[in-house]
Amino acid sequence: MRARRFESYIAKRGVLFVLVCMFAAGCSMKEKENVSEKAYQAVVEEHAKIFLPIDGDGAVYDGVILAVGRYLNQETDRESTLKEVDKAVKWLEESEEQLEEYELPAGMPAFLEECGILPEEFEMFGNSRGSQLETYIQDLKSLREHLEYAEEFDFEYEEVEFWHDIYGNVQESNRGYYYYGSVNYWFAGWDVEQAAYVQEKIVDKLESYLPENRSWETDREIVEQKTNRYLDDIEESLGVISGHLAEKKELLYEMKKLLGE
């Protein structure tokens, strides 16, 4: 289960690399004055239809991390916290069940091409929600398992503390990864008026994927560098997870030896 999360982020890095290569190969932004208002507004609005639900998933996940944090700070009880987790898992699972394969609407490929965006890459972006939903569901179910027995066993309480902190750290990195890699990246070369439309229709409506000290970059290379730094942070956290799981596996092995199993 944890391995899937690592593979998910490696896949994301691969997708970004493909995008970088495609643009470097010659699919650059058209001259700003040659992009019609109708085209750039249509592209931004289509992006919002894709990305705002992804951001909403992140906000639901954030709510559970906050709820578990309140429990660990003795601000609320376990039962109410479990209900918060169950509510979030149900919402995320229902969202996953309702997912349909994304296809570009009629006329959108022409608008994307006018804006210098490859339609096939944008369609890939349109189908990106499912992998993160799966990761969030797995995380919260795992956290719930430990939370359920946190007051019966000290080691389970410690597990809740560990996973709460590491999931929180990864989510903080997600804010930057998605903001730069899934919003700023697509519109990095746009002029002031066009970028203002992105701000109005997408950025101002985000609830989760807004990193601290963020900026709006106009150079796609800088966007890529920032996105990769957040990916590096995520992979560092995944390394901590790997070490933790290896330690637990070794402890279980030693216990079995003592019991003669």
Side-chain angles (χ1 to χ4, degrees):
M1 185 176 293
R2 311 297 175 192
R4 289 182 188 175
R5 159 152 272 195
F6 183 79
E7 292 168 0
S8 172
Y9 285 108
I10 292 299
K12 287 174 182 176
R13 183 185 283 278
V15 169
L16 181 63
F17 180 75
V18 169
L19 287 169
V20 173
C21 290
M22 295 293 278
F23 277 104
C27 187
S28 58
M29 188 73 173
K30 288 190 175 183
E31 292 298 321
K32 300 179 183 67
E33 60 267 22
N34 293 333
V35 177
S36 67
E37 182 178 285
K38 184 177 181 180
Y40 81 72
Q41 289 187 355
V43 169
V44 171
E45 289 165 12
E46 189 65 20
H47 182 286
K49 291 177 185 177
I50 296 168
F51 191 68
L52 292 182
I54 296 175
D55 176 72
D57 300 335
V60 170
Y61 188 85
D62 292 341
V64 174
I65 299 300
L66 289 173
V68 175
R70 288 193 294 269
Y71 166 74
L72 293 172
N73 290 330
Q74 300 181 336
E75 297 171 11
T76 188
D77 57 48
R78 179 181 58 176
E79 286 66 32
S80 61
T81 307
L82 284 168
K83 289 179 181 178
E84 289 289 326
V85 178
D86 289 341
K87 180 181 177 181
V89 169
K90 181 180 178 182
W91 192 93
L92 293 168
E93 286 183 330
E94 289 177 351
S95 297
E96 186 179 38
E97 290 172 1
Q98 293 168 9
L99 277 181
E100 297 180 356
E101 184 177 359
Y102 175 78
E103 295 182 357
L104 293 172
M108 186 55 58
F111 288 142
L112 288 165
E113 289 172 356
E114 185 175 340
C115 293
I117 296 174
L118 294 171
E120 57 268 36
E121 300 302 337
F122 194 83
E123 193 165 55
M124 185 187 301
F125 165 64
N127 283 303
S128 64
R129 186 184 179 191
S131 62
Q132 187 62 68
L133 268 173
E134 182 182 0
T135 297
Y136 281 158
I137 291 167
Q138 291 170 355
D139 287 355
L140 297 189
K141 283 184 174 181
S142 174
L143 190 56
R144 191 198 190 286
E145 290 175 4
H146 298 300
L147 183 62
E148 188 170 1
Y149 299 101
E151 294 181 8
E152 283 78 19
F153 305 101
D154 289 344
F155 71 88
E156 291 286 19
Y157 186 88
E158 291 170 359
E159 286 294 290
V160 174
E161 290 181 311
F162 173 82
W163 292 111
H164 166 268
D165 291 348
I166 199 71
Y167 287 158
N169 289 341
V170 172
Q171 186 67 349
E172 285 303 312
S173 299
N174 273 335
R175 300 191 206 292
Y177 168 79
Y178 276 107
Y179 175 79
Y180 288 107
S182 293
V183 182
N184 197 173
Y185 181 84
W186 294 104
F187 312 116
W190 289 25
D191 67 19
V192 174
E193 180 181 347
Q194 295 162 347
Y197 199 70
V198 178
Q199 181 78 30
E200 175 190 349
K201 295 296 182 178
I202 301 172
V203 178
D204 288 349
K205 297 181 179 181
L206 296 180
E207 300 178 86
S208 180
Y209 297 134
L210 286 170
E212 292 185 9
N213 303 317
R214 65 186 177 275
S215 58
W216 184 260
E217 302 297 342
T218 57
D219 186 326
R220 182 169 283 114
E221 184 175 349
I222 294 175
V223 176
E224 293 158 7
Q225 291 171 358
K226 290 191 173 185
T227 303
N228 278 319
R229 282 203 293 270
Y230 282 106
L231 275 173
D232 289 340
D233 291 342
I234 291 168
E235 289 175 14
E236 183 177 343
S237 293
L238 296 179
V240 173
I241 290 174
S242 179
H244 179 78
L245 294 176
E247 181 182 328
K248 293 300 176 182
K249 183 178 180 180
E250 179 64 24
L251 180 61
L252 180 61
Y253 174 72
E254 294 297 329
M255 289 177 63
K256 287 184 176 181
K257 281 177 60 178
L258 287 174
L259 294 171
E261 295 183 13

